[in-house]
Amino acid sequence: MINSRYAWFEESLKKIALLASVGGVLAWDQETGMPPDAVGIRSQQAGILSGITHEMRTSQALQDCVEELLNDSSLTPYQSVNVKEFHRTLQKSIRLSKEFVEQLSLTVSAAYPAWYQAKTQNQFDIFAPHLEKIIALKKEEAQLIGYAKHPYDALMDEFEPGFTVDDADRLFTDMKTSLLPFTKRIASQTQPNDDFFRQPFDSFSQKKFGRSLLTAMGYKFSSGRMDHSEHPFCIGLHPSDVRVTYRLNPNDLSEFIWGLMHEGGHALYEQGLQTKYWGTPMGSTVSLAIHESQSRFWENNIGRSAPFWKYWFPVLQNTFPDAFKNSDFQHFYVGINRIAPSLIRIQADELTYHFHILIRYQIEKSIFEGNLSVNQIPTVWNNLYKEYLGLDVPNNTSGVLQDVHWSHGGFGYFPTYSLGSFYAAQFFHALSAQSPIQEWLEQGQLQPITTWLNENIHSKGMELSANELCKKITGESLNFAYFMQYAQQKFNPIFNLS
Amino acid sequence: MINSRYAWFEESLKKIALLASVGGVLAWDQETGMPPDAVGIRSQQAGILSGITHEMRTSQALQDCVEELLNDSSLTPYQSVNVKEFHRTLQKSIRLSKEFVEQLSLTVSAAYPAWYQAKTQNQFDIFAPHLEKIIALKKEEAQLIGYAKHPYDALMDEFEPGFTVDDADRLFTDMKTSLLPFTKRIASQTQPNDDFFRQPFDSFSQKKFGRSLLTAMGYKFSSGRMDHSEHPFCIGLHPSDVRVTYRLNPNDLSEFIWGLMHEGGHALYEQGLQTKYWGTPMGSTVSLAIHESQSRFWENNIGRSAPFWKYWFPVLQNTFPDAFKNSDFQHFYVGINRIAPSLIRIQADELTYHFHILIRYQIEKSIFEGNLSVNQIPTVWNNLYKEYLGLDVPNNTSGVLQDVHWSHGGFGYFPTYSLGSFYAAQFFHALSAQSPIQEWLEQGQLQPITTWLNENIHSKGMELSANELCKKITGESLNFAYFMQYAQQKFNPIFNLS
C-alpha cells in the first residue's frame, strides 16, 4: 500500500533539492567563468532562488506533514531516516525567516567579489565591512537557531551535526599534546629536496595526467567535468552532475595533483550517492567531516603514500620526461612528504595543516564569544601563526585573506577539515586490515578502494550518523590515536626517527 | 508621487525576469559543457523553474494589477509601454496552464539530446517520436492561444508580434518573384575561388582574432564570454551577462568569423538594452526579426563588405601569415561572397539562405495546417531542396536534422531570419544616407556604427513596435525592395552583371 502522505513529503523534498541544485549551477558558474560585471545580477538571482527554496522547506503544509509522519508507525526504515533527519534540520530552518535567509544570501553574494578584490590587492579594509555584516548575521543566526552552551555550537552543528565547542576543545587539546611536539620535531629536521616541483609543466599535460588519475579513481567524466577556479572545489548537483575544479601552475606541479585528488575524493562521494534517494537525507552526504574524510583519504592516505606512487610515478615520468629525467622514485616520494610550516593552508603539508585549522577555530570561537572585533582579526591571526607555526605573516593576502570561507558565511566549517583527516586515518586503518590495499596500490588498482568506500560510506547516505557510521566501519568512535599512529608509522622512517 | 501599484507591478516583472535569467544560465550550461549524464536532472531543473515562473507571470494578483493599471491615466509614457505590452503577452500566457508549460518544458529538454543523437547518427527515427510530441503540444498551444485565420499565426506571433501567414505568404511570393531568378542567374556564373578557407588555422589564433573583432564592434567581455557549442547562439541574461558561442574548425576558417559576427550583433543588442528597464518590456528586445536584423547587419552588410575588409584583411593576414601569403584583398573579398546553393542553412551564402528559410516556412505551415505528418517531413524537405536549390539531400544529418530549433519547440521562428535580413538592408540604407560609413569601415572604426544602432534601436527596448521602429528610422515600413537593391548593388559588380 502506498503511503500517500509520505509520497507527498518525498516529492516535496525532491522539488526543494531541484531548486537547490539550480542554485548550485549558479554558484559553479560564478566561480568558474561568469562575466565579472554580472556579479550584481547574480547575487539577486541567487537571493530569489534561496528565498523560494527556504519558503518551500519551511511551508506550513510541509511542517504539518512531517509532524504527522514522525508518529506514523507504518514507515519503512529508510522512510523513517528521511522523516527524522528532515525534521531535525527543519526545526533549525523554521527559526530563520525568509527575509533573513534572503538577506544572508544577498550579503554573501556581494562579499565574495569584495573578498577577491581585497585578497588580490592585499587590502583587508575592502573586505572588512562585508565581514562585519556577515558576522552580525551569523550571530543573529546562532541566536535564532539556539544552542545549549556556546553560540558557536549552533554554527558548527550546521556542518557537523552534534559537534560542539566542548568536543572541539577536547580534540584540539589532544592534538596539541601529541601532534604539536611530533610535528615540531620533524619540522626541525633537514627536509627532503622538492625542487623538482619548480619546473615547467605544461598545462595541457597536467590536465591530461589529472584526467587519467581521476578516471582511475573511478570518477565518471560522463557525470562530471573539471575546470579552473581560484579556490578548488567540488560541487555535487546530482549524482549525474558532480563537478570539480583545480588550480594549475605551469611552473609548479605541486599545486595541481593533490588538490585534484582531494576534490576527486569529494566527487566520488557525491557520484556514489544513490540516485533513487536523491533529494532526501538517504541520498545525502552525512556531514562535512565525513565528506572531508573522503577527500583527505585520497589526497594523503593514498596520494602521498609510497605504494600509490610505485605505480603512478612512472606514469608521471612518461607525462613529463624532461622534468623527471634526473629524479628517482625515492627522491620523489620523500620530496612530496616534506613537513614545513607555511603560510597558506591549502598548500600545507598533512601535519602542520591541522595548526592552520586550530588557528581558525580559535579565532572563530572568539568572534562568537564576542571577544574579537573584525579589525582585530588580522593581528590575532598573525600572532597565532607565530605561536603555532613560528611564522611571520608578511601581508594579509597570504594571511587572513587567504580563504574564501568567511566570504560565504561559512563559520564553523574549518574544524571539519581536521576531523576529516582523523576519520580518514581511521577508515584507512580499517581498510588496510580488511584488504591487500598495498598490493592494489602498487598495481595501480584504485577501483577496489572506491568500491569499498562506496559500499561502506557513499551509498549509505544519512542512514547512520557520522559517529554511528564510524563505529560500524571501524568498531569504535572517532579516536585521534589512529591519526597519530598513521603519522608516526609514515614519518618516522622518512625522517629516520625512532 | 510614487504610484505604488505600478511599483509593485514592476517589481513583480523583475522577479519573473530574475527567475527566467536563471533558466538562461541552465540553458547556456546545457549547451556548452554540462556533463552528458546530467540531461535527465537538467530537464527537471528547467521544468520546475519554468513552472514557477509561469505561475508568477499568471498569478491572479498580477492579472488584477495589470487590469487596473491599464486604466490608470497617471502612468508616464514608459510605464504605459510596460503595462500595455505585458498585458498583451499575459493575455496569451494565461491561456496556457502551468501543467501545460511544465509539460512542454520537460518535453523539449528531453528532445534536445535525442535530436543531437539523431543528427550524429543520421537516424531521423530517434528524433521522430520527440518531434511528434512537440508538434502535438504546439498544435494544442495554437488552439489554446487562439488565432484569427491560421493556427500557425498563433505560433509566429510569439516571435514576431502581429506577423501572420498572410504577411509571410506575400513576402515570400515577392522574394520568389525577384530574388529567385536573380540568385539563379548568379549561381550559374563561375564562382570565385575560396580554397584559401580550407587550410590549417589554429584554434587559438582564430579565437584571438574573434576576440579582437568582437571588442572592436563594442562587445564588452567584462559583461560576456565566448564558448564553443554545437550550434552557435547568443544568450542575454542581463545587460551585464550576455554570452556568445561559436563553431570552430581548425581546417576551415569560414565556420568561425561570420558566425561570431552574427552572434556578436545579437549580443550588442542585448548589452545595449537599458539596465534600469531590465525585466520590463522597455528593457527588452522588440522582436526576433529586429534581433536578427542586428546579427545579419554585422554578419553580411558589414562583415562581407569591401570597406570592412579593407581594414581587417591585413589584420587577418598578420594573424595567419602562412595561410594568406598568396592571397590579395580582391581575391579574398570575392571569395567570401560566393553564391552557391548548399545543404546547410547556417553555412549558406546571403542570397540562397532565404530559400532555406522558405523551405522551412512551407513545411511548418503544412504541419500546422494538418497536411503533413512527421514521417513525411524528410521526403518533403528533400523535394523542396531539389526545387529551390537544385540539390539532392544525401542524408538527414545534412537535411531535416540540421537545425536545433524544432527540438526546442521553436515553430514559427524561421521566418524571422529572412525578415531580419530585410530589416538589416533597410537599416543599412538609412545609416549609409546619414553617415560616412564607408570611411568608418575602411578606417576600422566600428564603434560609431554600434553607437548609431544603440541610440536608434538597442536602447529603445519595446518603446515602439518593430514596424513603428522601422518607420521611425527609415521613414517607411519594411520594404523588400531595399534587400533587392542591396543585393544588386553588391553582386552585380562582383559577377560583372549589368
Side-chain angles (χ1 to χ4, degrees):
Chain A
M1 201 184 78
I2 289 175
N3 182 332
S4 63
R5 181 178 289 135
Y6 179 81
W8 184 83
F9 162 77
E10 194 173 298
E11 197 193 330
S12 302
L13 261 58
K14 291 191 174 183
K15 275 187 192 165
I16 293 164
L18 264 182
L19 286 171
S21 71
V22 172
V25 178
L26 296 184
W28 172 83
D29 181 69
Q30 175 154 4
E31 301 207 7
T32 54
M34 184 188 77
D37 291 352
V39 69
I41 196 71
R42 178 55 48 90
S43 83
Q44 292 180 46
Q45 290 163 331
I48 193 169
L49 209 55
S50 31
I52 293 172
T53 311
H54 181 74
E55 208 165 54
M56 286 172 73
R57 267 181 67 82
T58 55
S59 75
Q60 196 56 50
L62 190 53
Q63 287 182 47
D64 294 344
C65 175
V66 175
E67 292 294 343
E68 291 183 41
L69 285 170
L70 269 182
N71 302 311
D72 185 336
S73 59
S74 74
L75 295 184
T76 66
Y78 94 83
Q79 292 175 337
S80 285
V81 169
N82 284 340
V83 170
K84 281 181 193 147
E85 176 57 25
F86 182 76
H87 181 259
R88 186 186 72 76
T89 55
L90 182 63
Q91 291 314 301
K92 293 169 63 176
S93 299
I94 57 179
R95 294 179 192 142
L96 308 179
S97 68
K98 184 177 173 224
E99 290 67 33
F100 179 85
V101 172
E102 281 188 355
Q103 184 61 36
L104 186 61
S105 171
L106 283 170
T107 306
V108 302
S109 289
Y112 172 79
W115 163 77
Y116 186 80
Q117 196 192 355
K119 180 179 173 175
T120 312
Q121 301 177 9
N122 185 32
Q123 290 198 40
F124 184 72
D125 288 353
I126 295 174
F127 182 46
H130 294 271
L131 188 55
E132 295 265 17
K133 281 185 210 164
I134 291 173
I135 288 172
L137 285 166
K138 297 302 281 189
K139 282 183 176 172
E140 190 182 342
E141 184 178 316
Q143 297 305 322
L144 289 168
I145 289 176
Y147 50 87
K149 275 180 83 174
H150 197 289
Y152 190 54
D153 288 348
L155 302 180
M156 286 201 296
D157 188 75
E158 192 182 326
F159 304 113
E160 200 57 24
F163 190 69
T164 65
V165 166
D166 283 349
D167 297 329
D169 282 346
R170 234 182 342 256
L171 180 81
F172 285 120
T173 303
D174 247 22
M175 192 179 96
K176 272 199 277 189
T177 310
S178 54
L179 190 63
L180 190 55
F182 182 71
T183 304
K184 286 194 167 165
R185 187 171 167 215
I186 291 182
S188 69
Q189 310 290 310
T190 307
Q191 292 299 317
N193 185 311
D194 69 346
D195 288 349
F196 54 80
F197 277 140
R198 262 68 60 187
Q199 297 186 67
F201 293 94
D202 79 88
S203 305
F204 182 79
S205 299
Q206 286 196 51
K207 284 186 264 184
K208 194 179 147 207
F209 182 78
R211 287 183 73 94
S212 304
L213 192 46
L214 286 183
T215 303
M217 284 166 62
Y219 176 77
K220 292 188 290 290
F221 275 94
S222 61
S223 303
R225 50 178 291 156
M226 54 182 255
D227 295 86
H228 177 266
S229 72
E230 166 71 16
H231 185 95
F233 64 91
C234 163
I235 188 163
L237 307 167
H238 181 267
S240 66
D241 194 351
V242 178
R243 305 178 183 198
V244 295
T245 69
Y246 55 80
R247 284 162 72 105
L248 192 153
N249 183 340
N251 294 304
D252 187 344
L253 185 64
S254 68
E255 294 191 19
F256 180 72
I257 294 177
W258 291 272
L260 190 66
M261 288 187 81
H262 180 101
E263 302 310 332
H266 283 306
L268 290 177
Y269 194 0
E270 297 280 344
Q271 286 191 341
L273 295 168
Q274 292 195 59
T275 300
K276 67 178 172 185
Y277 292 139
W278 181 74
T280 72
M282 279 294 291
S284 304
T285 59
V286 180
S287 73
L288 276 195
I290 298 298
H291 224 312
E292 190 71 6
S293 77
Q294 300 307 291
S295 56
R296 289 283 157 178
F297 185 94
W298 284 101
E299 179 189 359
N300 291 330
N301 303 85
I302 304 290
R304 295 185 197 274
S305 74
F308 172 81
W309 284 105
K310 280 265 164 64
Y311 179 87
W312 284 95
F313 184 62
V315 180
L316 196 65
Q317 283 181 306
N318 282 336
T319 310
F320 301 104
D322 291 346
F324 287 114
K325 59 178 174 244
N326 297 321
S327 216
D328 67 13
F329 169 79
Q330 188 60 21
H331 180 205
F332 179 79
Y333 170 62
V334 300
I336 67 173
N337 280 298
R338 284 163 58 96
I339 298 297
S342 64
L343 289 166
I344 306 297
R345 178 183 61 81
I346 60 165
Q347 292 167 9
D349 61 71
E350 59 177 317
L351 299 186
T352 60
Y353 184 87
H354 298 289
F355 300 99
H356 292 261
I357 299 305
L358 176 56
I359 290 165
R360 287 154 178 77
Y361 168 69
Q362 286 187 207
I363 290 174
E364 293 190 354
K365 190 178 145 193
S366 297
I367 289 171
F368 290 94
E369 279 168 353
N371 297 330
L372 193 60
S373 63
V374 164
N375 61 358
Q376 294 171 315
I377 296 175
T379 307
V380 172
W381 179 284
N382 297 352
N383 291 342
L384 287 170
Y385 265 77
K386 189 73 181 174
E387 180 184 343
Y388 289 120
L389 295 162
L391 298 171
D392 293 308
V393 178
N395 54 58
N396 289 328
T397 297
S398 45
V400 69
L401 290 171
Q402 68 183 266
D403 291 311
V404 73
H405 302 58
W406 291 347
S407 83
H408 290 171
F411 292 96
Y413 192 122
F414 283 118
T416 67
Y417 286 138
S418 285
L419 276 177
S421 288
F422 308 154
Y423 273 123
Q426 195 160 335
F427 293 153
F428 188 76
H429 183 270
L431 174 57
S432 302
Q434 294 168 28
S435 75
I437 186 171
Q438 296 258 126
E439 280 174 43
W440 288 346
L441 290 173
E442 287 175 6
Q443 292 162 9
Q445 291 183 49
L446 305 181
Q447 186 60 55
I449 300 172
T450 302
T451 301
W452 186 86
L453 294 170
N454 193 257
E455 281 170 7
N456 287 282
I457 300 170
H458 308 167
S459 65
K460 298 295 181 191
M462 300 186 89
E463 187 180 333
L464 305 173
S465 73
N467 184 45
E468 289 164 347
L469 187 70
C470 184
K471 280 206 269 192
K472 184 168 181 200
I473 296 170
T474 71
E476 59 183 306
S477 294
L478 182 62
N479 180 347
F480 181 70
Y482 287 102
F483 185 81
M484 266 317 292
Q485 183 192 324
Y486 158 77
Q488 285 162 336
Q489 284 180 352
K490 173 170 177 178
F491 289 101
N492 281 344
I494 291 177
F495 290 97
N496 296 312
L497 307 177
S498 60
Chain B
M1 200 184 74
I2 289 175
N3 182 332
S4 63
R5 182 177 290 136
Y6 179 81
W8 183 84
F9 162 76
E10 194 172 298
E11 197 193 328
S12 302
L13 261 57
K14 291 191 174 183
K15 274 188 192 165
I16 293 164
L18 264 181
L19 285 172
S21 72
V22 172
V25 177
L26 295 185
W28 172 83
D29 181 68
Q30 175 154 6
E31 301 207 8
T32 54
M34 185 187 76
D37 292 351
V39 69
I41 196 71
R42 179 55 46 91
S43 83
Q44 292 181 47
Q45 290 164 330
I48 194 170
L49 209 55
S50 32
I52 294 173
T53 312
H54 181 74
E55 207 165 54
M56 286 172 74
R57 268 181 67 82
T58 55
S59 75
Q60 197 56 52
L62 190 52
Q63 287 182 46
D64 294 345
C65 175
V66 175
E67 293 294 341
E68 291 182 41
L69 286 170
L70 270 181
N71 302 313
D72 184 338
S73 59
S74 74
L75 295 184
T76 66
Y78 94 82
Q79 293 174 337
S80 284
V81 169
N82 284 341
V83 170
K84 280 182 194 147
E85 175 58 23
F86 182 76
H87 181 259
R88 187 186 71 76
T89 56
L90 182 63
Q91 291 314 299
K92 293 168 62 177
S93 298
I94 56 179
R95 295 180 192 143
L96 307 180
S97 68
K98 184 177 174 225
E99 289 67 34
F100 178 85
V101 172
E102 281 188 357
Q103 184 61 38
L104 186 60
S105 171
L106 282 171
T107 305
V108 302
S109 289
Y112 171 79
W115 163 77
Y116 186 79
Q117 197 192 355
K119 180 178 173 175
T120 312
Q121 301 177 10
N122 185 33
Q123 289 199 40
F124 184 72
D125 288 352
I126 295 173
F127 182 47
H130 295 271
L131 188 55
E132 294 267 17
K133 282 186 209 163
I134 292 173
I135 289 172
L137 285 165
K138 298 302 281 189
K139 282 183 176 171
E140 189 182 342
E141 183 178 318
Q143 297 306 323
L144 290 168
I145 290 175
Y147 50 87
K149 274 181 82 174
H150 197 291
Y152 190 54
D153 288 348
L155 302 180
M156 286 201 296
D157 189 78
E158 191 182 328
F159 304 113
E160 199 58 25
F163 190 69
T164 65
V165 166
D166 284 349
D167 296 330
D169 282 346
R170 236 184 337 263
L171 180 81
F172 285 120
T173 304
D174 247 23
M175 193 180 96
K176 272 198 279 188
T177 311
S178 54
L179 190 63
L180 190 56
F182 181 71
T183 304
K184 286 195 166 166
R185 186 170 168 215
I186 290 182
S188 70
Q189 310 290 309
T190 307
Q191 292 299 318
N193 185 310
D194 69 348
D195 288 348
F196 54 78
F197 277 139
R198 261 70 60 186
Q199 296 187 66
F201 292 94
D202 78 89
S203 305
F204 181 81
S205 300
Q206 287 197 51
K207 285 186 264 185
K208 194 179 148 207
F209 182 79
R211 287 184 72 94
S212 305
L213 191 46
L214 285 183
T215 303
M217 284 165 63
Y219 176 77
K220 293 187 290 292
F221 274 94
S222 62
S223 303
R225 51 177 291 156
M226 54 183 254
D227 295 87
H228 176 267
S229 72
E230 167 70 18
H231 186 95
F233 63 92
C234 163
I235 187 163
L237 307 169
H238 181 267
S240 66
D241 193 351
V242 179
R243 306 178 182 197
V244 295
T245 69
Y246 54 80
R247 283 163 74 105
L248 191 152
N249 183 340
N251 295 303
D252 188 344
L253 185 64
S254 68
E255 293 192 19
F256 180 73
I257 294 177
W258 291 272
L260 190 66
M261 288 187 80
H262 179 102
E263 302 310 332
H266 283 306
L268 291 176
Y269 194 179
E270 296 281 343
Q271 286 191 340
L273 294 168
Q274 292 196 60
T275 300
K276 68 177 170 185
Y277 292 139
W278 181 73
T280 72
M282 279 294 291
S284 304
T285 58
V286 180
S287 73
L288 277 196
I290 298 298
H291 224 311
E292 190 70 7
S293 77
Q294 300 307 290
S295 55
R296 289 284 156 178
F297 185 94
W298 284 100
E299 178 188 0
N300 291 331
N301 303 85
I302 304 290
R304 294 184 198 274
S305 74
F308 172 82
W309 285 106
K310 280 266 164 61
Y311 179 87
W312 283 95
F313 184 62
V315 180
L316 196 66
Q317 283 180 306
N318 281 337
T319 309
F320 301 104
D322 291 345
F324 286 114
K325 59 178 175 243
N326 297 320
S327 216
D328 68 11
F329 170 78
Q330 188 62 22
H331 180 205
F332 179 80
Y333 169 63
V334 298
I336 67 173
N337 281 297
R338 283 163 59 94
I339 298 297
S342 64
L343 290 166
I344 306 296
R345 178 183 61 82
I346 60 166
Q347 293 168 8
D349 61 72
E350 59 177 317
L351 299 186
T352 60
Y353 183 87
H354 298 288
F355 300 98
H356 292 261
I357 299 305
L358 175 57
I359 290 165
R360 287 154 179 76
Y361 168 69
Q362 287 187 207
I363 289 174
E364 292 190 355
K365 189 178 146 195
S366 298
I367 289 171
F368 290 94
E369 279 168 355
N371 297 331
L372 194 59
S373 63
V374 164
N375 62 357
Q376 295 171 314
I377 297 175
T379 307
V380 173
W381 180 285
N382 296 352
N383 291 342
L384 288 169
Y385 266 77
K386 189 74 182 174
E387 180 183 343
Y388 290 121
L389 294 162
L391 297 172
D392 293 307
V393 178
N395 55 56
N396 289 328
T397 298
S398 45
V400 69
L401 290 171
Q402 67 181 268
D403 292 311
V404 73
H405 303 59
W406 291 346
S407 82
H408 291 169
F411 292 95
Y413 192 122
F414 283 117
T416 67
Y417 287 139
S418 285
L419 276 178
S421 289
F422 308 154
Y423 274 124
Q426 195 160 335
F427 294 152
F428 189 77
H429 184 267
L431 173 58
S432 301
Q434 294 169 27
S435 75
I437 186 171
Q438 296 257 128
E439 280 175 42
W440 287 346
L441 289 173
E442 286 174 5
Q443 291 163 10
Q445 291 182 50
L446 305 181
Q447 187 59 57
I449 300 172
T450 302
T451 301
W452 187 86
L453 293 170
N454 193 256
E455 281 170 7
N456 287 283
I457 300 171
H458 308 167
S459 65
K460 298 295 181 192
M462 300 187 88
E463 188 180 333
L464 305 173
S465 72
N467 183 45
E468 289 164 350
L469 188 70
C470 183
K471 280 206 269 193
K472 187 169 180 201
I473 297 170
T474 71
E476 58 183 305
S477 295
L478 182 62
N479 180 346
F480 181 72
Y482 287 102
F483 184 83
M484 266 318 291
Q485 183 191 325
Y486 158 77
Q488 285 161 334
Q489 285 181 352
K490 173 170 178 179
F491 289 100
N492 281 344
I494 291 177
F495 291 95
N496 296 311
L497 307 177
S498 60

